[in-house]
Structures are given as C-alpha cells and as structure tokens.
Amino acid sequence: MSYQPNDPYRTRQIAPLTQSLPRRTMREVTHGPSLPAGAAVPVPQAQQASELAQRYELLDRLGVPTAASEDFDELARDMATRAGFLYGFVNLFLEEQTFVGLHQPPADSGYVIVGRTMSRDHGWCPEVMARKKALPLHDVHASPRFSGNHVVDAVGIRSYFGAPLIHDSGTVLGTVCVIDPEKRPLSEARRLRDIVINAGVRVMDHIARAPVR
C-alpha cells in the first residue's frame, strides 16, 4: 500500500506544517534531558562519546556520507512504500539523529513535514540502539512505556517499526524505521517488522559497497 494524497482513511491536518523533529533545549543541555516514558535508559556520557567516535571512524573509513544522500533517500522511500507508511528514515546516530535517508509526504499533502535531524534522546530509535534488535510498535498507545513520547505529539504518530544498523565489527551505526499516524493491526506486525529488518540489511549492503578509504 503506497501513500495516496486523497486516501479518505488518512487523518490530515488542515494546512501543511513544516518542522524539525524535537531537539533538546539549552535548559535540557545544561540540566540534562528529561526522560519521557518509552525512552531508552540514558547511556553514560563517556560511553556515548566513545561510541560516537567509533561510529565516525568507521563511517569515514567506509566512505559513508553523513549528510543527506539520494541513495539513502531511495532506500527509505522503498521501505516506506513496501510497508505502506507515510514516513521512512535511514538514521545515523551522530551528535544528533541524522536522517541521511528520508521519505515523507509531499509538502502540499497536509501532513507534517519533518527536517533531517532530531535530538538523540527523542523517538523510539534510541531504544532500538540500546536493544540492538528490531522494535515493532503496531500501536504506540498499546503500551504506556512507549506512548509518552515527544514524537507522538509532534507528528501524531500511532505506529513505529525500527531496526538497528549493525556493522560486522559490532558497531551500531544507527537505525532504519518507518512511522505513520495510523495504527496497524497486530496481525501485520511480523510482516512489517520483517520489511524494516530487510531494509536494514539492504542499507548495510549499500554501505559495504562504498569505497573503503
């Protein structure tokens, strides 16, 4: 099921809204971020810095861009289309979550238009990074742990499926995920999870084919 602008079953906003996904405020940077329900347990700062350095070193060695890429956009688009979701992301965990691959509705669709970055603390991808395995949420409100999330209110999300991007060395580079304002039947969860996991494999295959420096 691909996105259809006139689909009567989609909930639309009256006018399009362009925004970046939530970022930390200066107060949160100074005093520490709040931990919304559903967020992964914070990683110690020293460990986080070490993992970030390893990530950058590996991406540089593999010749992988850390900016928006048409190839990654196409992979995000294909994943979202296969799943029938409005939004698809190839997400590298750098200083911020960085969407090097992004698919979303057209600007005139009436849906929220998101930017290319988001705070490392927001959304469900931090949980995927911590778990190092797929996270299928057919209805984010079905579990109190995952329903209280900044992204739920910012974009109006009801379903999320994400999987980690893990290099052969064991370094977790980021995630792939799809999100949508409509919940999905529980019976569809396994199929959608597999679509996202397979997309993650394709992204890592693409990374492996990049010129090694």
Side-chain angles (χ1 to χ4, degrees):
M1 178 178 66
S2 60
Y3 165 68
Q4 297 294 332
N6 297 318
D7 188 341
Y9 298 101
R10 297 285 190 181
T11 302
R12 296 167 56 119
Q13 297 181 9
I14 294 175
L17 174 63
T18 302
Q19 65 179 57
S20 293
L21 291 172
R23 302 188 185 194
R24 289 179 292 180
T25 64
M26 287 306 296
R27 181 180 186 280
E28 289 174 319
V29 171
T30 304
H31 300 286
S34 60
L35 184 63
V41 175
V43 176
Q45 188 172 7
Q47 179 182 342
Q48 191 175 90
S50 175
E51 291 175 351
L52 180 59
Q54 291 176 5
R55 214 166 284 138
Y56 268 118
E57 188 278 332
L58 179 59
L59 289 169
D60 181 66
R61 179 160 54 85
L62 294 175
V64 177
T66 56
S69 160
E70 290 185 4
D71 289 341
F72 287 140
D73 282 351
E74 179 58 35
L75 288 166
R77 181 181 305 111
D78 183 70
M79 173 178 58
T81 300
R82 288 173 184 268
F85 276 54
L86 290 185
Y87 303 83
F89 303 87
V90 177
N91 179 13
L92 297 181
F93 263 63
L94 306 175
E95 283 83 359
E96 296 182 295
Q97 296 183 60
T98 303
F99 308 136
V100 293
L102 173 62
H103 171 72
Q104 60 183 326
D108 60 353
S109 66
Y111 292 100
V112 172
I113 303 303
V114 303
R116 289 274 182 174
T117 60
M118 183 171 70
S119 167
R120 291 169 57 97
D121 305 312
H122 293 160
W124 299 274
C125 286
E127 179 76 14
V128 174
M129 294 287 289
R131 292 159 55 106
K132 297 184 180 180
K133 63 180 181 179
L135 176 63
L137 299 175
H138 72 285
D139 180 1
V140 300
H141 295 306
S143 170
R145 181 181 179 191
F146 296 111
S147 62
N149 193 298
H150 291 282
V151 180
V152 173
D153 296 327
V155 190
I157 298 308
R158 288 297 301 274
S159 52
Y160 166 95
F161 289 78
L165 298 173
I166 305 177
H167 186 257
D168 290 343
S169 64
T171 300
V172 185
L173 296 175
T175 66
V176 290
C177 69
V178 290
I179 59 176
D180 199 87
E182 300 294 332
K183 66 180 181 180
R184 295 299 193 270
L186 180 58
S187 60
E188 287 284 286
R190 181 182 295 273
R191 181 184 70 85
L192 295 169
R193 182 204 62 183
D194 289 347
I195 287 173
V196 174
I197 289 174
N198 290 336
V201 171
R202 293 176 62 199
V203 169
M204 292 309 299
D205 286 345
H206 180 80
I207 287 175
R209 293 195 300 269
V212 177
R213 295 178 180 176

